[in-house]
Amino acid sequence: MESQITMKGTMTGSIADFRRAARDWLEANVPSEPSPEDGPDSRTYVLAWQKTQAQGGWAGLAWPREVGGRGLSVLEQIVWFEEYARAGAPSPLNASFVGLNHAGPTLIACGTPEQKAYHLPRILAGEVIWCQGFSEPGAGSDLGSLRCRGRVEGDELVIDGHKIWSSFADIADWQELLVRTDPAAKTSGALTWVICPMDAPGITVRPIRTMAGPHKYCEVFYDSVRIPLANVVGGVNQGWATAMSTLSFERGTAGLALLIGHTLKVEKLLADCPMNRPELRLRIARLRAEGASIRAATYRFALDCESAVPDASGSMMRLSFAEFAQRVTAAAIDLYGIDAAQVVGAHGWGHDYLDAFSETIAGGTAEIQRNIIAERVLGLPKGPR
Ligand SMILES: Cc1cc2nc3c(=O)[nH]c(=O)nc-3n(C[C@H](O)[C@H](O)[C@H](O)COP(=O)(O)OP(=O)(O)OC[C@H]3O[C@@H](n4cnc5c(N)ncnc54)[C@H](O)[C@@H]3O)c2cc1C
């Protein structure tokens, strides 16, 4: 199935030219080897790929021009990610994701001129890896209840506590860290967002091995870690607003590459599914329709967001994609069988099947997404807290 979007049924010359330029560049530059999943090799791979994109002029597509990005329209971003998926380029959900899609945009929105000048060029150029330190053993869905403590001492913040599920923390240079600086205040005035150097004395990182195999998610322990107050972004006790400020940058376009990647896989499943398995063929055909409808909704959401701050309906795309990914990988296991060559190995369907369980947890669980849709999109009464 050809992956193309047209505006009002026609392809404008500039968008067609943009697509051709993106396709040509990707065909010439996408690495032939798949990315290692974790560890130092994945760091080397991801930084090299980011560097290649930066040198080719394909880094920071959504970032404003004044900070070194390309300031592309949402339509151009969509076209880029269509071509990106079509070319089989490395998953954008890799170790550079937090820097490019979360920490970087947060600094653009709330950072000081010094913070921007130091960090943004390094993220774009593929020199550094960032990770996110928000979740704790007792604070995930209810992030506002986090307990990792930050005390202001002179011109430093002293951190004590424990974070968990910090993706790629073991290979990261920097962490966007959310800590409680005022235990007495309500969440909105109690937290601080700070740039944490991962080589600071007192930090211990312990990778967690998941059932899918890789150990890219980590626990991070902080024992009197001293961070200059100059690293605080958005002000002490203003961390909740800082953490929320980046939401307006995520218009679902990076997730689009993953979605399109899955719809292409469904085509392959359909091609491989024999005629003598009509029930499975029907299931996969339904997945094809499901993928197409999520894709159409995602385009509409992304394009609507160009003129307005994204609303809670992004949760519908997030939830639909998560459950779609789980259904696609389950269909593949049923099609090929658990011992098939396509299923076993680090890049096989077996890995993808196990890994897809995390889709309905990461970035807000399925239940939380359903709550958001119910309350903020459908306007239903709030559930019990
Ligand atoms: C692949 C992956 C990568 C991640 N990467 C990072 C990262 O880099 N940095 C980071 O900080 N965190 C990361 N996380 C953590 C992620 O944000 C949390 O796992 C997620 O927010 C859920 O929190 P929790 O695990 O504490 O579960 P809990 O919040 O304890 O939830 C447990 C169960 O209770 C349900 N539940 C909770 N509250 C409600 C409610 N109000 N209504 C209905 N049901 C409810 C949940 O849906 C879930 O089923 C990652 C997670 C995964 C899976």
Side-chain angles (χ1 to χ4, degrees):
M1 185 165 58
E2 184 62 13
S3 313
Q4 292 214 338
I5 181 173
T6 58
M7 289 295 274
K8 295 179 184 152
T10 56
M11 180 77 92
T12 66
S14 61
I15 285 293
D17 292 346
F18 178 82
R19 182 184 294 282
R20 200 166 306 115
R23 186 174 293 190
D24 289 349
W25 187 86
L26 285 161
E27 274 173 10
N29 289 284
V30 165
S32 51
E33 290 297 311
S35 173
E37 277 268 5
D38 56 19
D41 289 349
S42 77
R43 177 186 164 94
T44 306
Y45 182 101
V46 162
L47 290 180
W49 172 230
Q50 179 61 22
K51 206 164 282 171
T52 303
Q53 291 175 94
Q55 285 165 354
W58 295 100
L61 305 188
W63 288 24
R65 285 174 184 272
E66 52 273 25
V67 296
R70 291 217 26 204
L72 296 185
S73 67
V74 167
L75 180 59
E76 287 166 315
Q77 292 172 47
I78 287 174
V79 168
W80 166 256
F81 281 117
E82 283 184 341
E83 293 303 321
Y84 193 95
R86 183 181 173 279
S91 165
L93 207 63
N94 60 23
S96 61
F97 184 85
V98 170
L100 287 167
N101 295 284
H102 210 269
T106 304
L107 294 176
I108 292 170
C110 308
T112 64
E114 294 74 22
Q115 289 166 347
K116 291 182 198 184
Y118 183 83
H119 290 288
L120 296 178
R122 288 170 171 78
I123 295 172
L124 282 186
E127 293 173 9
V128 289
I129 300 281
W130 280 69
C131 62
Q132 183 188 56
F134 283 14
S135 304
E136 298 181 5
S141 302
D142 183 13
L143 185 60
S145 66
L146 68 84
R147 294 168 60 177
C148 186
R149 186 79 171 92
R151 279 177 290 112
V152 177
E153 276 187 22
D155 58 0
E156 290 179 321
L157 204 53
V158 184
I159 314 289
D160 284 284
H162 178 189
K163 295 284 176 180
I164 196 166
W165 308 125
S166 186
S167 310
F168 303 106
D170 57 333
I171 56 168
D173 304 280
W174 303 96
Q175 184 182 53
E176 48 170 23
L177 175 62
L178 201 55
V179 294
R180 182 166 297 277
T181 31
D182 185 347
K186 285 186 179 167
T187 298
S188 55
L191 308 182
T192 296
W193 196 110
V194 63
I195 302 168
C196 174
M198 292 303 286
D199 59 357
I203 292 186
T204 306
V205 179
R206 192 190 296 162
I208 304 166
R209 192 173 174 85
T210 65
M211 66 180 179
H215 38 77
K216 54 192 175 188
Y217 312 112
C218 302
E219 285 186 280
V220 185
F221 300 88
Y222 311 80
D223 182 6
S224 298
V225 175
R226 307 188 84 86
I227 303 177
L229 278 179
N231 283 18
V232 169
V233 177
V236 172
N237 296 333
Q238 302 303 314
W240 191 251
T242 307
M244 295 301 127
S245 71
T246 49
L247 293 180
S248 61
F249 278 82
E250 177 47 74
R251 289 159 163 86
T253 48
L256 196 59
L258 299 175
L259 171 61
I260 295 171
H262 273 73
T263 60
L264 296 175
K265 286 178 182 175
V266 171
E267 296 305 313
K268 171 91 175 87
L269 295 184
L270 207 48
D272 286 355
C273 190
M275 289 295 175
N276 63 2
R277 298 187 68 184
E279 283 184 14
L280 187 54
R281 284 188 67 82
L282 182 60
R283 201 170 126 203
I284 299 171
R286 285 196 173 122
L287 285 171
R288 179 197 246 179
E290 187 181 341
S293 71
I294 302 170
R295 195 163 151 185
T298 306
Y299 284 154
R300 182 176 167 174
F301 174 74
L303 290 165
D304 282 354
C305 287
E306 189 146 46
S307 52
V309 173
D311 65 14
S313 57
S315 286
M316 294 196 285
M317 263 61 75
R318 177 73 194 95
L319 178 62
S320 308
F321 171 72
E323 296 185 342
F324 172 65
Q326 292 175 347
R327 283 195 271 271
V328 171
T329 54
I333 303 293
D334 289 344
L335 170 63
Y336 298 118
I338 200 73
D339 297 324
Q342 298 95 323
V343 172
V344 296
H347 296 280
W349 279 106
H351 164 274
D352 293 353
Y353 171 71
L354 294 173
D355 200 48
F357 279 85
S358 68
E359 286 289 352
T360 43
I361 304 172
T365 67
E367 291 77 15
I368 295 300
Q369 304 292 1
R370 284 196 164 85
N371 282 353
I372 292 171
I373 295 164
E375 294 171 11
R376 294 195 226 154
V377 181
L378 302 175
L380 296 174
K382 287 195 174 209
R385 291 286 187 273

